[in-house]
């Protein structure tokens, strides 16, 4: 793995071609690090991906790592999302965030009805798809042939670069006895309005703007029920039989983005170690690297990052193994995945905060990368998927025999 001196092993697929494709994607991601680092300030200034960065990711094939092979994608194991985001995050967390988000939507589209897949990919296999999976933000009602959707969704990362958007909504019913249905709606950009709202402290370059929909008709085939994403065959399995497209989506949701926190923390550690090797204290000229406190903080931060990487990768590799043998995790296993996803990112945030504090006043300068890594770490951690209070509470409820409060699991 770039930054820590160890090589990341590919997901065990038993297929040489897949392993070579996996290694190639990691190498291509690593090759982008220098230019992405150089563009980081401009990315923040633009508040979205620069066109040349988006082009670099396309040219490297990185957006298509979990896209079905039948349309030319690489169909790599799920852990590739963590590993590639880890590498890109060592350059710029905003770029890694958009990469992971947009790449994961090719994976999710592979679970939709073939008609939805064909409508998108027959026109452009490289088409980018944004999302906002905030169900209460929308309201949909069933009509003949589909649904009518309206709402206003925040945090649609990469939306300005995208031709399509996956928007989550509650489906309303005249009969309360029908209960609540959660559904995902795939809309073309002509059916929604982008609101320029993204002025944020961290992840400034993700362009995570709001989108607004006013009574758009969405055909039935362009929607997907959350209940179809529990694990096991999906509507897309008829044309995409790889177990990758039978994973339980929302229990693994944190791992779409957790690699971003991992890469950001690894870069922070690597940069801190490099500075500590050469820097002398402003006040007494003592070498920073000779201080025991510096050595201990490096050890603690690296242990947190290494532990986070093990948690993230083992969860994703285990999920693929389960899917291959046809095992659908129960609610205890699903809440454990959500717990571990939040916990591992929290470890990364703690590591960055520890190093930022150890850097003293020099870490405050906007000319350095540490302040951006600190801001990005806390912006990542603010995502609901990484809120350990929420994930931990739900895990504890299920462990105690109480019903899960997460209705998407």
């Amino acid at each position: 793995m770039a930054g820590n001196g160890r090589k990341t092993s590919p997901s065990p697929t038993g297929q040489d071609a897949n392993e070579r494709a996996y290694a190639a994607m990691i190498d291509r991601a690593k090759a982008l690090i220098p230019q992405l680092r150089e563009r980081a300030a401009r990315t923040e200034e633009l508040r979205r991906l620069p066109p040349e960065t988006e082009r670099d990711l396309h040219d490297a094939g990185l957006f298509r790592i979990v896209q079905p092979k039948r349309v030319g994608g690489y169909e790599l194991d799920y852990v590739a999302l963590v590993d590639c985001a880890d590498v890109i995050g060592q350059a710029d967390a905003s770029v890694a965030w958009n990469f992971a988000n947009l790449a994961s939507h090719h994976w999710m589209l592979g679970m939709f009805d073939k008609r939805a897949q064909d409508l998108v990919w027959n026109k452009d296999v490289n088409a980018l798809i944004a999302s906002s999976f905030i169900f209460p933000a929308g309201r949909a009602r069933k009509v003949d042939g589909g649904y009518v959707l309206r709402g206003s969704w925040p945090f649609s990362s990469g939306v300005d670069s995208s031709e399509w958007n996956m928007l989550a909504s509650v489906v309303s019913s005249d009969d309360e006895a029908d209960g609540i249905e959660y559904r995902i709606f795939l809309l073309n950009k002509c059916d929604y309005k982008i609101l320029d709202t993204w002025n944020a402290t961290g992840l400034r370059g993700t362009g995570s703007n709001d989108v607004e929909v006013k009574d758009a008709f969405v055909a039935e085939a362009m929607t997907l029920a959350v209940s179809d994403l529990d694990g096991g065959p999906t509507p897309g399995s008829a044309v995409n039989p790889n177990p990758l497209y039978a994973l339980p989506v929302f229990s693994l949701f944190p791992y779409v983005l957790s690699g971003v926190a991992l890469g950001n923390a690894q870069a922070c550690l690597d940069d801190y170690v490099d500075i500590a090797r050469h820097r002398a204290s402003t006040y007494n000229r003592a070498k920073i690297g000779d201080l025991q406190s510096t050595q201990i903080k490096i050890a603690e931060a690296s242990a947190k990052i290494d532990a986070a990487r093990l948690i993230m990768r083992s969860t994703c590799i285990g999920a693929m193994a389960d899917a291959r043998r046809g095992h659908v995790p129960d609610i205890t296993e699903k809440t454990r995945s959500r717990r571990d996803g939040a916990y591992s990112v929290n470890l990364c945030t703690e590591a960055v905060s520890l190093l930022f504090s150890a850097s003293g006043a020099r870490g405050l300068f906007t000319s350095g990368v540490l302040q951006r890594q600190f801001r990005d770490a806390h912006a990542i951690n603010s995502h609901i998927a990484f809120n350990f209070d929420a994930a931990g509470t739900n895990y504890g409820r299920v462990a105690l025999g109480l019903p899960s409060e997460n209705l998407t699991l």
Side-chain angles (χ1 to χ4, degrees):
M1 177 58 60
N4 64 9
R6 292 194 303 275
K7 182 179 179 181
T8 300
S9 299
S11 172
T13 62
Q15 299 180 18
D16 290 344
N18 279 5
E19 292 181 1
R20 287 195 299 271
Y22 173 94
M25 288 299 111
I26 294 296
D27 288 343
R28 292 177 196 178
K30 288 179 181 178
L32 293 177
I33 289 177
Q35 58 258 46
L36 295 182
R37 277 207 158 203
E38 287 177 5
R39 292 180 198 146
R42 180 164 174 261
T43 301
E44 287 209 317
E45 183 181 352
L46 288 175
R47 296 183 295 121
R48 56 170 292 179
L49 292 189
E52 58 268 35
T53 293
E54 186 180 324
R55 186 166 55 251
D56 284 344
L57 293 169
H58 274 302
D59 289 347
L62 286 160
F63 283 128
R64 304 180 68 187
I65 58 172
V66 286
Q67 185 184 41
K69 284 184 178 180
R70 74 179 188 86
V71 293
Y74 292 94
E75 207 169 283
L76 300 180
D77 283 4
Y78 191 74
V79 73
L81 280 173
V82 171
D83 290 342
C84 289
D86 179 0
V87 174
I88 297 171
Q90 292 174 39
D92 186 337
S94 286
V95 177
W97 184 271
N98 273 13
F99 148 72
N101 257 305
L102 300 175
S104 75
H105 299 146
H106 281 303
W107 166 62
M108 289 188 65
L109 181 54
M111 302 179 189
F112 274 71
D113 186 288
K114 182 180 183 292
R115 288 170 289 177
Q117 298 178 43
D118 289 348
L119 189 62
V120 176
W121 288 329
N122 282 355
K123 183 178 181 181
D124 183 3
V125 293
N126 291 299
L128 297 180
I129 308 165
S131 72
S132 180
F133 296 122
I134 301 177
F135 291 89
R139 284 293 181 273
R141 56 186 174 83
K142 191 79 173 70
V143 296
D144 186 34
Y147 299 82
V148 172
L149 177 69
R150 66 180 296 121
S152 183
W153 289 261
F155 310 127
S156 189
S157 299
V159 65
D160 289 290
S161 302
S162 299
E163 287 291 315
W164 299 84
N165 210 315
M166 291 181 180
L167 299 174
S169 179
V170 175
V171 178
S172 59
S173 171
D174 294 333
D175 185 359
E176 292 185 2
D178 289 345
I180 296 174
E181 183 188 15
Y182 285 172
R183 189 168 281 269
I184 297 169
F185 297 81
L186 180 61
L187 280 75
N188 186 267
K189 66 180 181 180
C190 65
D191 289 323
Y192 55 84
K193 180 181 179 182
I194 301 172
L195 307 178
D196 186 3
T197 56
W198 189 245
N199 290 283
T201 301
L203 294 175
R204 288 178 56 82
T206 60
S208 301
N209 288 310
D210 291 11
V211 295
E212 184 177 71
V213 176
K214 293 185 176 179
D215 294 328
F217 173 76
V218 186
E220 178 81 34
M222 302 298 287
T223 76
L224 187 61
V226 168
S227 59
D228 286 332
L229 303 175
D230 288 345
T234 62
S237 294
V239 290
N240 302 316
N242 190 317
L244 175 66
Y245 306 103
L247 292 172
V249 169
F250 285 100
S251 63
L252 294 173
F253 188 58
Y255 304 95
V256 168
L257 296 167
S258 65
V260 182
L262 188 59
N264 184 64
Q266 185 68 58
C268 184
L269 174 64
D270 293 345
D271 292 342
Y272 179 82
V273 169
D274 187 59
I275 291 170
R277 282 193 180 116
H278 307 103
R279 183 183 151 201
S281 169
T282 304
Y283 293 97
N284 61 11
R285 309 312 299 167
K287 285 190 65 177
I288 299 297
D290 289 341
L291 300 177
Q292 186 184 50
S293 58
T294 298
Q295 298 158 6
I296 291 172
K297 285 179 172 60
I298 289 171
E300 183 178 355
S302 62
K304 290 177 184 290
I305 295 166
D306 287 351
R309 182 174 285 110
L310 286 170
I311 292 170
M312 293 177 196
R313 299 197 80 250
S314 64
T315 300
C316 295
I317 291 170
M320 282 299 305
D322 283 345
R324 285 193 175 95
R325 63 187 179 93
H327 172 71
V328 176
D330 62 21
I331 192 63
T332 299
E333 295 169 288
K334 289 178 177 180
T335 55
R336 183 186 300 118
S337 292
R338 294 293 297 236
R339 178 201 71 184
D340 290 352
Y343 187 75
S344 57
V345 168
N346 284 197
L347 286 175
C348 294
T349 309
E350 291 168 8
V352 173
S353 295
L354 178 70
L355 296 169
F356 183 80
S357 177
S359 296
R362 287 190 178 273
L364 301 173
F365 287 94
T366 56
S367 57
V369 296
L370 183 57
Q371 49 79 30
R372 173 170 55 83
Q373 291 161 345
F374 178 80
R375 289 186 287 107
D376 286 345
H378 285 271
I380 295 165
N381 213 130
S382 69
H383 194 289
I384 186 60
F386 306 132
N387 184 312
F388 189 75
D389 286 351
T393 295
N394 203 42
Y395 176 82
R397 285 181 58 85
V398 172
L400 292 167
L402 300 171
S404 168
E405 291 185 330
N406 188 334
L407 299 181
T408 65
L409 297 182

